[in-house]
Amino acid sequence: MNTLEALNWRYATKKMNGKKVDEKTIDEILEAARLAPTSSGLQPFNVILIKSDELKQKIQPIAHGQTQIVDCSHLLVFAAWDNYTEERIKERFNQTRGERGLPDTAMADYENMLLNAYVPREAHINFEHAARQAYIGFGIAILAAANLQVDATPMEGFNNEALDELLGLNKLGLKSVTLLPIGYRDADNDWLVNLKKVRESKEKFVIEID
Amino acid sequence: MNTLEALNWRYATKKMNGKKVDEKTIDEILEAARLAPTSSGLQPFNVILIKSDELKQKIQPIAHGQTQIVDCSHLLVFAAWDNYTEERIKERFNQTRGERGLPDTAMADYENMLLNAYVPREAHINFEHAARQAYIGFGIAILAAANLQVDATPMEGFNNEALDELLGLNKLGLKSVTLLPIGYRDADNDWLVNLKKVRESKEKFVIEID
């Protein structure tokens, strides 16, 4: 199945059937998110992996009672850094220098440029920037799942603060931005599965300028 | 090539060789962005397609002189709605009802909920939300290109306002958020091509909570 077939196959699954997705497949979806590109390679987000039925049940009311939260196999939470800090930026550059065998002085100008631009900036602006990066990984994870013929429901509709509190994300310097239940569609009981996928026409979506 | 192979193959190409990507391949990448999911299906972004060398040359100085802007085959600009308006939201719902053969009254509660939530909200907050949706499509386009063995350089480093002015995006109610030059790597002259891809370890990136 190629990319377009996968994207046409997928949809925002409204009813899942509770079957488990094997760990190798989940690992591939997580790995796709991990390999996603981010601005300056700072990778300012994490994915929270939730398997426990008990925890999924606690999350369901925070997400408007949506049933995919409990009927999915694995629940992913995409969570962005709440701020860019000197420590976080330096840690990334140190890792990159280390893994590439570069001297401590390498990339110093670029690192300082980012430190000067990001660290003094208001936390909410930095968080918005980090959140956008998380959405790149989110998009890539959605397509990765579709390529593997696994269903996934992109979700923004939940109480972010309540979820952050429940999962203790504040203590990790993270704020949840999206949910992605992973599982299998219950095609017989999903009102959306047979409805036409609607998108803006190609002619309107792509604007050619010369 | 599967998803993980494609993601490991791709990198933020720093030097492209000027070769043209065929139109069918470009169409597939654009189609992937068009099929990307967005919040409530509002699809609040467009992709601007630029082929003209003259226009690419005008954009290069707006993007810190980066050479991929002129050495790419096609330049994509991801541009998000500057605001959610009643007209825009209603147009989407009307299109969905039309294509699904639903009566005019269908989905009215959901439509009204979005109208009440988004239309009175400040434009910059709505734009941030729209921008995040554009990043989903951006991520999916990046992976789609990699699946087709075409290079693409995700770019945020440019003067958004100057680009919006040059392309007349304000008049379209759009604001540029990212650039994606599409083309082929000039492997002999790209300093990044042989450097190790660095990402946070899987153990740190994925946080399992139970």
Side-chain angles (χ1 to χ4, degrees):
Chain A
M1 186 171 271
N2 68 29
T3 298
L4 297 187
E5 288 167 342
L7 287 170
N8 278 304
W9 172 84
R10 69 154 296 281
Y11 72 113
T13 309
K14 299 299 178 190
K15 185 83 183 102
M16 292 186 170
N17 65 10
K19 281 194 192 147
K20 292 294 169 203
V21 178
D22 67 78
E23 292 297 326
K24 182 173 171 294
T25 301
I26 294 292
D27 277 353
E28 278 194 51
I29 296 166
L30 292 168
E31 190 67 359
R34 190 180 76 92
L35 290 172
T38 55
S39 187
S40 305
L42 290 177
Q43 214 178 357
F45 73 103
N46 291 84
V47 175
I48 318 299
L49 174 64
I50 294 165
K51 303 179 193 174
S52 143
D53 287 335
E54 197 184 329
L55 187 51
K56 286 193 259 174
Q57 281 160 18
K58 285 185 188 158
I59 293 172
Q60 189 181 20
I62 290 173
H64 302 304
Q66 293 175 91
T67 60
Q68 308 95 317
I69 301 292
V70 290
D71 293 335
C72 70
S73 168
H74 293 67
L75 177 62
L76 310 187
V77 181
F78 285 70
W81 287 358
D82 59 359
N83 198 358
Y84 287 113
T85 63
E86 185 173 338
E87 188 187 0
R88 281 171 154 170
I89 293 172
K90 286 187 171 174
E91 187 183 328
R92 287 285 188 258
F93 276 83
N94 287 336
Q95 183 193 353
T96 299
R97 281 186 286 259
E99 291 194 27
R100 289 182 177 167
L102 298 171
D104 290 351
T105 51
M107 304 191 296
D109 288 350
Y110 192 58
E111 183 178 10
N112 285 326
M113 187 267 287
L114 291 183
L115 287 167
N116 291 330
Y118 290 178
V119 176
R121 209 162 56 172
E122 287 181 72
H124 74 95
I125 294 177
N126 282 335
F127 165 68
E128 268 308 328
H129 186 261
R132 291 185 183 191
Q133 312 312 312
Y135 273 69
I136 298 175
F138 185 56
I140 284 179
I142 291 165
L143 177 50
N147 278 331
L148 293 162
Q149 298 285 282
V150 175
D151 284 299
T153 314
M155 284 187 184
E156 278 185 342
F158 60 98
N159 182 328
N160 303 62
E161 290 74 19
L163 185 64
D164 296 351
E165 177 72 24
L166 175 67
L167 299 179
L169 297 187
N170 303 315
K171 280 174 280 176
L172 302 174
L174 297 172
K175 287 158 81 98
S176 58
V177 292
T178 58
L179 298 177
L180 193 65
I182 306 284
Y184 295 106
R185 62 187 70 178
D186 178 2
D188 291 339
N189 295 296
D190 190 330
W191 60 269
L192 187 57
V193 66
N194 291 317
L195 288 180
K196 184 177 185 299
K197 184 187 290 292
V198 178
R199 291 291 186 275
E200 190 167 41
S201 69
K202 184 181 154 182
E203 291 67 32
K204 285 187 176 175
F205 177 71
V206 177
I207 300 172
E208 193 165 339
I209 299 183
D210 270 322
Chain B
M1 184 172 274
N2 68 28
T3 298
L4 297 186
E5 288 167 342
L7 286 169
N8 277 303
W9 172 83
R10 69 153 298 280
Y11 72 113
T13 309
K14 299 299 179 192
K15 186 82 184 101
M16 291 187 171
N17 65 11
K19 280 194 192 148
K20 293 293 169 203
V21 178
D22 67 79
E23 291 298 324
K24 182 174 172 293
T25 302
I26 293 294
D27 277 354
E28 280 194 52
I29 297 166
L30 292 168
E31 191 66 359
R34 191 179 75 92
L35 292 171
T38 54
S39 187
S40 304
L42 291 179
Q43 213 178 356
F45 73 102
N46 291 84
V47 175
I48 319 299
L49 173 64
I50 293 164
K51 302 178 192 174
S52 141
D53 287 336
E54 198 184 329
L55 187 51
K56 287 194 258 173
Q57 280 160 19
K58 284 184 189 159
I59 294 171
Q60 189 181 20
I62 290 173
H64 303 305
Q66 292 175 92
T67 60
Q68 308 95 317
I69 301 292
V70 291
D71 293 335
C72 69
S73 168
H74 294 66
L75 178 62
L76 309 187
V77 181
F78 285 70
W81 287 358
D82 58 0
N83 199 358
Y84 287 113
T85 64
E86 185 174 337
E87 188 188 0
R88 281 171 155 170
I89 293 171
K90 286 188 170 173
E91 187 184 326
R92 287 286 187 259
F93 275 83
N94 286 335
Q95 183 193 354
T96 299
R97 282 186 285 258
E99 292 194 26
R100 289 181 178 167
L102 299 170
D104 289 353
T105 51
M107 304 192 294
D109 288 350
Y110 192 58
E111 184 178 9
N112 285 326
M113 187 267 287
L114 290 184
L115 287 167
N116 291 330
Y118 291 178
V119 177
R121 205 161 62 171
E122 287 181 73
H124 75 95
I125 293 176
N126 281 335
F127 166 69
E128 267 309 327
H129 184 261
R132 290 184 183 192
Q133 312 311 314
Y135 273 70
I136 298 175
F138 185 56
I140 284 179
I142 291 165
L143 177 50
N147 277 332
L148 294 162
Q149 299 284 281
V150 175
D151 284 298
T153 315
M155 283 188 184
E156 280 185 340
F158 61 97
N159 182 329
N160 304 61
E161 290 75 17
L163 185 63
D164 295 351
E165 176 72 23
L166 176 67
L167 300 179
L169 297 186
N170 304 315
K171 280 173 281 176
L172 302 173
L174 297 171
K175 288 158 80 98
S176 58
V177 292
T178 57
L179 297 177
L180 193 66
I182 306 283
Y184 295 106
R185 62 188 70 177
D186 178 3
D188 291 340
N189 295 297
D190 190 329
W191 60 268
L192 188 57
V193 66
N194 290 317
L195 288 179
K196 184 176 184 301
K197 186 188 289 292
V198 178
R199 292 290 185 276
E200 191 167 40
S201 69
K202 184 180 155 183
E203 291 67 32
K204 285 187 177 175
F205 177 71
V206 177
I207 301 171
E208 193 166 339
I209 299 182
D210 270 321

